């Protein structure tokens, strides 16, 4: 790929269920399984393109409203990834960090996540944030409550609450804001995906369903972004 100027890429991986139905598969989970395969490939594509930070929307706070069976199956896939495929991240030098409101997960799921994070802690080529049980409004509310608790305890004064202070209470503290967000599946909205961190991000939408996403399409998005930057004189 040509020289890249995206430091942090966000991806909303939409369309797994529609892909399964379009292929007349017996279960929508086949779409999610294919989606995980493409997600693993995406990590390599980002490394190929020289992108050091990647954030993906794996499971939103709204996804809890899906059927109990689908939610159960999705977390089964999650456990499979973190236990049986995490070695791929280790081999590719990908540091995995899971962010979101994990209070609703089982202790076993949280342990699996902690183990995966610990295993890849020293990886440096790609910093991968997996947004799990994540919602942008929920993140901002949790940050505001954390700040309120510090003010109540006398550790922080209202005058000390700056943008930098607020960012330190977000799930993404220490990570640069996103430059580019890609959303597959045809919808043209962020759907509660990191409203604070995408304030100045450029947005690239495609009708292609996530399981059909490719390195070539990533290249198209990056080329589009380069064009945007050139036109803006940056």
């Amino acid at each position: 790929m040509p020289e890249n100027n995206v430091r942090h890429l966000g991806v909303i991986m939409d369309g797994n269920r529609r892909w399964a139905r379009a292929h007349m598969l017996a279960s929508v989970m086949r779409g999610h399984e294919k989606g995980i395969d493409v997600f693993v490939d995406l990590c390599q594509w980002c490394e190929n393109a020289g992108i050091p930070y990647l954030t993906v929307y794996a499971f939103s706070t709204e996804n809890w409203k899906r059927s109990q069976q689908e939610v159960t199956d999705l977390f089964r896939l999650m456990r499979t990834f973190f236990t049986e495929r995490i070695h791929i991240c280790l081999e590719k030098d990908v540091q995995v960090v899971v962010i979101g409101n994990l209070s609703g997960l089982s202790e076993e799921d949280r342990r699996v996540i902690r183990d995966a994070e610990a295993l890849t802690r020293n990886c440096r080529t790609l910093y991968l944030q997996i947004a799990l049980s994540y919602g942008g409004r929920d993140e901002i509310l949790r940050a505001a409550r954390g700040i309120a608790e510090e003010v109540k305890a006398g550790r922080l004064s209202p005058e000390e609450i700056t943008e930098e202070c607020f960012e330190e209470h977000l799930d993404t503290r220490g990570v640069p804001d996103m430059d580019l967000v890609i959303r597959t599946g045809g919808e043209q909205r962020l759907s509660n995906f990191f409203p604070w961190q995408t304030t100045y991000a450029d947005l690239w939408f495609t009708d292609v369903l996530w399981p059909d996403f490719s390195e070539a399409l990533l290249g198209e998005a990056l080329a589009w972004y380069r064009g945007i930057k050139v036109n803006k004189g940056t």
Side-chain angles (χ1 to χ4, degrees), residues 59-164:
F59 189 90
S60 73
T61 49
E62 289 78 13
N63 288 156
W64 288 107
K65 299 175 184 178
R66 294 184 179 181
S67 72
Q68 184 59 54
Q69 185 60 57
E70 185 174 359
V71 170
T72 298
D73 289 343
L74 283 169
F75 276 91
R76 174 183 55 80
L77 282 179
M78 181 272 293
R79 286 191 297 274
T80 299
F81 171 78
F82 285 123
T83 56
E84 298 180 12
R85 305 185 73 174
I86 195 64
H87 70 278
I88 299 175
C89 295
L90 191 61
E91 292 166 2
K92 296 182 182 298
D93 200 33
V94 177
Q95 182 179 359
V96 175
V97 177
V98 179
I99 56 179
N101 188 347
L102 306 184
S103 60
L105 276 64
S106 69
E107 178 53 38
E108 174 63 15
D109 286 341
R110 291 196 294 270
R111 182 193 64 76
V112 167
I113 289 169
R114 289 195 300 268
D115 288 348
E117 291 178 325
L119 185 65
T120 63
R121 184 166 293 134
N122 295 321
C123 296
R124 291 292 179 266
T125 302
L126 178 67
Y127 187 93
L128 168 65
Q129 293 184 136
I130 300 177
L132 187 66
S133 189
Y134 174 85
R137 290 182 176 181
D138 177 75
E139 179 191 26
I140 289 171
L141 281 173
R142 286 186 285 111
R145 291 186 186 119
I147 291 173
E149 287 294 332
E150 291 197 29
V151 171
K152 182 179 179 181
R155 294 190 297 270
L156 189 69
S157 69
E159 293 76 22
E160 293 175 304
I161 303 174
T162 61
E163 285 192 16
E164 292 74 19

Side-chain angles (χ1 to χ4, degrees), residues 9 11 13 37-47 54 56 126 210 213 218:
L9 173 67
V11 180
M13 307 179 293
D37 291 339
V38 178
F39 157 64
V40 172
D41 289 339
L42 174 66
C43 294
Q44 182 63 62
W45 301 338
C46 286
E47 290 192 358
L54 170 65
V56 296
L126 178 67
W210 177 248
F213 194 73
L218 175 61

